[in-house]
Amino acid sequence: VGSNDYLVAIHPYAEGQALVFGRKSIYLATIAIASDGVSIDPAASSLQLLTDEIGCSARRSIATAGVFVFFLSDSGVYRLDNQFDLKLRGNTQPLSDPIADLLADINGAAAHRSVALFYNNRYHLVVPTGTSTVPNTIYSYNMLNQQWESRDTYGFQVDQLLVSDYDSRRRLFCANRNGGIFLLDEQDTGADDTQSGLGTDYQGSTL
């Protein structure tokens, strides 16, 4: 009340805790179950403010990777870990600071439509860029080398990232509400404009 903020997402964390993402703030909720094993015990539960300097701009940009939680904010991509109060205070830089010039192209008015998925040690984030009002550009962050490794812009909207079996392997796909399903990381050439089968095969280009 009185914060001039609103709820964007509630994301499960661990041990009866949940992250509460506002548009301008982040809280850590600790939920205690009453003795009946069903209802919540308000007296034993708590809501702790982690930061009022950073919020989440897209509900579906939140993704968990082990002890880390990635999300998109107005200032770029941030990563939380189990030391919340040490990571989101003062002059903490976003994880995406090295590619801030590229992220500056995000269409802020449509950023809330962004989607993300953590798969194969990578955080994949799809955002609307330029004049696009739908997500059309995929950024990939590699957890193994701690670097942003690719940025690909497509001529169609990406409404969802998903993982499924293809040719006896688990693969990453993107899909949209127009019925398109596209296989990612298929070509070794780095080309992202070759039509193949029912969809399009893409291989990320190096940043």
Side-chain angles (χ1 to χ4, degrees):
V1 177
S3 65
N4 190 30
D5 202 359
Y6 61 88
L7 182 66
V8 174
I10 297 177
H11 189 74
Y13 186 59
E15 299 181 354
Q17 294 180 320
L19 289 167
V20 181
F21 290 89
R23 191 64 180 80
K24 304 175 183 177
S25 59
I26 304 173
Y27 291 81
L28 177 65
T30 301
I31 304 166
I33 303 300
S35 57
D36 61 8
V38 178
S39 60
I40 295 176
D41 182 358
S45 301
S46 64
L47 191 62
Q48 175 190 355
L49 176 65
L50 298 180
T51 179
D52 57 3
E53 299 174 355
I54 302 166
C56 180
S57 58
R59 176 179 62 85
R60 296 200 297 157
S61 71
I62 304 170
T64 299
V67 299
F68 300 107
V69 178
F70 296 83
F71 66 97
L72 178 66
S73 76
D74 290 332
S75 303
V77 177
Y78 279 85
R79 183 179 68 185
L80 306 179
D81 64 16
N82 56 4
Q83 299 294 325
F84 295 107
D85 58 336
L86 300 181
K87 298 298 181 184
L88 289 178
R89 300 290 181 180
N91 61 354
T92 301
Q93 291 183 335
L95 184 69
S96 59
D97 190 61
I99 58 168
D101 57 329
L102 299 177
L103 286 178
D105 194 33
I106 293 178
N107 183 347
H112 63 280
R113 296 190 174 99
S114 302
V115 297
L117 178 72
F118 186 82
Y119 172 69
N120 195 25
N121 295 308
R122 291 171 175 84
Y123 173 70
H124 302 279
L125 173 68
V126 195
V127 297
T129 55
T131 59
S132 176
T133 58
V134 294
N136 66 333
T137 300
I138 301 179
Y139 292 86
S140 295
Y141 178 80
N142 191 319
M143 285 277 289
L144 298 181
N145 59 21
Q146 303 288 301
Q147 297 289 333
W148 292 92
E149 64 179 8
S150 65
R151 174 184 185 268
D152 294 290
T153 300
Y154 307 126
F156 58 87
Q157 69 187 67
V158 178
D159 295 308
Q160 187 64 278
L161 293 172
L162 52 96
V163 176
S164 184
D165 292 335
Y166 178 80
D167 197 19
S168 302
R169 289 192 295 148
R170 298 288 285 173
R171 301 294 300 275
L172 180 65
F173 297 80
C174 62
N176 58 39
R177 293 185 176 91
N178 298 323
I181 300 177
F182 304 87
L183 175 64
L184 294 126
D185 298 326
E186 174 68 5
Q187 299 185 21
D188 295 328
T189 62
D192 63 357
D193 57 0
T194 303
Q195 297 292 327
S196 175
L198 297 177
T200 303
D201 301 330
Y202 292 105
Q203 170 66 37
S205 57
T206 302
L207 286 174

